[in-house]
Amino acid sequence: MWVSIYAASYLVLEIAALYFAYVAVARARTPQGSIAWVAFLISVPWLSVPAFLFFGHTRFRGYVVARRDSEEVIAGIGAFGKSNQPTGDGGDRGFTSFEAIAKLPVVGGSAMDLLIDGKATFDAIFEAIDEADSYVLAQFYIIHDDDLGRAFADRLVAAAKRGVDVRLLFDSVGCSKLPQPYLDRLSKAGVKVVNAHALRGPRHRFQVNFRNHRKTVVVDGQVGFTGGLNVGDEYMGHSDRFGPWRDTHCRLRGPVVTQLQLVFAEDWHWATHALLISELQWEPEPAEENMDALIVATGPGDVMETGTLYFCACILEARERVWIASPYFVPDVDILSALKLAALRGVDVRILVPDVIDHRIPWLAAFAYFDEIREAGVRVWRYTDGFMHQKVVLVDDDIASVGTTNMDNRSCRLNFEATAMIFDPRAAEAVAEMLESDFERAYLMEKTLVEQSLRRQIGAPFARLWAPIL
């Protein structure tokens, strides 16, 4: 009897594995992803079928953003770009590729201030919230109920009590440990608290892809913040496990804030069905710095591979240097090829990654890529002074990018991300100085994989097999 039950169960499992293999082939965005899933599903169905239920979908079908759903917003984007023309032309290749990826125009009259590490970031964010007159829009992937989390809640509650319209979006996966009383306190104070996937999120409870990884604060439509920092004590460097936490956020002013606000409005619309167009300020004061800027918001709802295209466009734009800081380095084949080609044509290509382990599998998988890019001339720097979590790109002396996008498949295809691109030598110089300081706290990787520990030699190739879902 038990043999028959086992045989029937195994048959059902095999049928499920074959069906999911078909789904992987039909829907995967890359051949690598489909091949990896097919091999995994057929060879180890007892493990792969549950994994596919959690991780096996790479498209968010039916995602409709507010700017496509509202004629008012569609018309407004065109007028907005014309009334805030950039001062530059984007050089030899122009802004066209970046604008096409973002579906937004590069706008002038903006400014970016680098916020290096937790104290500078949250001092600036808290000051802006405390000075809010009309509204605060806040969105984070992770919020903890710790010292920083409670200080953040205190600011939101105080703003709501003085009549400011406060809205908070949180991701249910990133905030899975956030206790309900924390959210209840905000709601009772008048803060409009919304799970980013509450109404139209993943189709079943197994789905943990499509995380909203954006970290955004917009105040009164005049000042905005985005970057790598979530709300938690570890981001302030108070973690015994990680030690000092190296991260970068940025404060934005001018017309680019309107674009960041639009991205928040899209996510709010997705989560609530409500349009915020008439409730928000869409004409920020121009900044004296008059920098050209663009918000590139990417995600699995996009028709094109916008996350990958963003990285490739930056790399292809480089003539002299492209420096990239990312806590995770699990690039797809297109990004990998772009990096190698840039190095082969003489561009100074540097990748800055942490030496400290955060998530072991992606950390280990990165070693399977390092030899390949180093052979082409890419230099890999490993940051040693605590954990490095920033997502920063520098191109030549002209483009600086700060945002939420890691150089891995999850950021490029599975998460909703946002990145601020500044096309200005002053911003590029500030980012260059910051990264040069980071390189001083890092070492140049010189050992090949065969010279690493036996655990890394064996583990890296197997970890790389998980690249499509990392």
Side-chain angles (χ1 to χ4, degrees), residues 24-25 27-35 58-59 305 308 332-334 409 413 468:
V25 171
R27 297 182 182 178
R29 289 191 169 191
T30 65
Q32 308 97 288
S34 61
I35 291 171
T58 57
R59 295 194 182 196
E305 302 283 349
T308 295
D332 69 9
V333 65
D334 295 328
N409 187 67
R413 293 192 174 91

Side-chain angles (χ1 to χ4, degrees), residues 77-146:
I77 288 176
F80 176 78
K82 292 178 181 177
S83 62
N84 296 278
Q85 291 288 332
T87 58
D89 59 6
D92 295 340
R93 299 190 181 181
F95 300 126
T96 306
S97 60
F98 296 112
E99 291 178 325
I101 294 168
K103 291 186 170 59
L104 288 169
V106 173
V107 291
S110 299
M112 179 190 78
D113 305 307
L114 280 180
L115 301 171
I116 300 174
D117 293 330
K119 186 178 187 309
T121 296
F122 286 100
D123 281 353
I125 289 175
F126 289 171
E127 180 183 5
I129 294 174
D130 290 345
E131 294 178 353
D133 292 323
S134 300
Y135 60 85
V136 173
L137 312 176
Q139 176 181 27
F140 284 94
Y141 173 60
I142 294 173
I143 303 172
H144 289 316
D145 185 15
D146 53 18

Side-chain angles (χ1 to χ4, degrees), residues 8-29:
S9 300
Y10 190 79
L11 178 61
V12 170
L13 197 62
E14 284 288 356
I15 292 172
L18 289 171
Y19 171 73
F20 288 150
Y22 164 74
V23 172
V25 171
R27 297 182 182 178
R29 289 191 169 191

Side-chain angles (χ1 to χ4, degrees), residues 225-286:
F225 301 86
T226 191
L229 289 109
N230 288 294
V231 182
D233 285 349
E234 66 268 36
Y235 297 89
M236 301 294 288
H238 298 160
S239 168
D240 293 335
R241 175 186 174 189
F242 297 113
W245 188 278
R246 175 69 191 89
D247 221 326
T248 303
H249 231 67
C250 65
R251 175 173 49 207
L252 302 170
R253 292 172 284 120
V256 71
V257 176
T258 297
Q259 296 185 349
L260 188 64
Q261 180 171 269
L262 177 62
V263 175
F264 181 94
E266 294 170 2
D267 290 338
W268 189 267
H269 178 252
W270 170 254
T272 67
H273 293 194
L275 288 170
L276 296 179
I277 306 306
S278 61
E279 301 176 45
L280 304 179
Q281 167 59 252
W282 297 96
E283 296 182 2
E285 293 292 328

